[in-house]
Amino acid sequence: MAVDGAGAGPVGRPSRYEEVVLGLLRGEGATVLTAGLWLLVTSLFTALFLTFVGWQVWENRTLETRGRIGDAQVVRANYEGRGKSLNVVYLSGPVGTAAILENPVHRPAAGDVTAVRYDPRHPTHLREADAPIWRWPDFLVTVPPAVAGCLVVPAEWMRFRRRLRERRV
């Protein structure tokens, strides 16, 4: 039996890693085409989820490193529907600039003044000054698929390479 140098099992037999990780997925990837399509789809979704998580981390890190505290007056409060938001106008910092504060922790009314942390380079990137750094609901939705994808994509790659080797034999 020939063994691939990359740690894969013998030609024609899936490795233990493939069996464990891909055992829950439907579709055995019986052909090179189906194995390649599974690899492509899982890679795209994993990249999408990792990009979203990375964007959130980058945005929060930027606000922490170069963010400034300023006062903003609430022009309009929207607590209806799925996404809560506040339309605010800066009273200090970039005075007069309008921005939208999404997912506020507190519930100020129109006309109230609230402290916000904003990015001086992009004043529309802001959050309440005392709001938590991370948006946990976003992470709970994106991190598990990203981690699962990081496990599944190598297994899909191994299956794809095995199917190519089988086809050559």
Side-chain angles (χ1 to χ4, degrees):
M1 283 190 245
V3 177
D4 187 282
V11 174
R13 184 170 169 227
S15 68
R16 184 71 181 137
Y17 181 76
E18 282 181 80
E19 289 174 352
V20 170
V21 174
L22 300 178
L24 299 175
L25 294 176
R26 297 278 187 227
E28 292 297 315
T31 66
V32 175
L33 178 63
T34 58
L37 287 174
W38 270 108
L39 174 63
L40 178 67
V41 168
T42 55
S43 297
L44 289 175
F45 277 119
T46 300
L48 177 73
F49 287 123
L50 288 173
T51 301
F52 186 75
V53 170
W55 181 263
Q56 291 292 322
V57 169
W58 177 81
E59 192 174 68
N60 287 318
R61 182 74 181 135
T62 301
L63 275 177
E64 282 303 305
T65 57
R66 69 175 181 225
R68 306 217 197 260
I69 305 268
D71 291 327
Q73 182 176 16
V74 178
V75 177
R76 179 178 173 267
N78 177 22
Y79 300 117
E80 303 295 322
R82 291 177 56 154
K84 297 166 181 44
S85 64
L86 303 172
N87 292 27
V88 298
V89 174
Y90 287 102
L91 299 176
S92 64
V95 176
T97 303
I100 296 175
L101 176 67
E102 295 180 7
N103 300 321
V105 175
H106 305 291
R107 294 180 62 98
D112 290 351
V113 175
T114 184
V116 295
R117 180 178 296 273
Y118 67 94
D119 183 354
R121 295 182 191 169
H122 305 283
T124 57
H125 295 170
L126 73 152
R127 71 168 187 267
E128 289 175 297
D130 59 348
I133 295 171
W134 307 110
R135 296 180 195 170
W136 290 109
D138 292 343
F139 281 105
L140 292 176
V141 169
T142 56
V143 169
V147 170
C150 289
L151 292 173
V152 170
V153 168
E156 292 286 354
W157 175 250
M158 292 169 71
R159 179 168 64 177
F160 180 68
R161 289 190 40 110
R162 181 173 45 85
R163 293 298 180 197
L164 282 176
R165 283 192 309 271
E166 288 175 356
R167 195 166 179 183
R168 287 186 201 135
V169 173

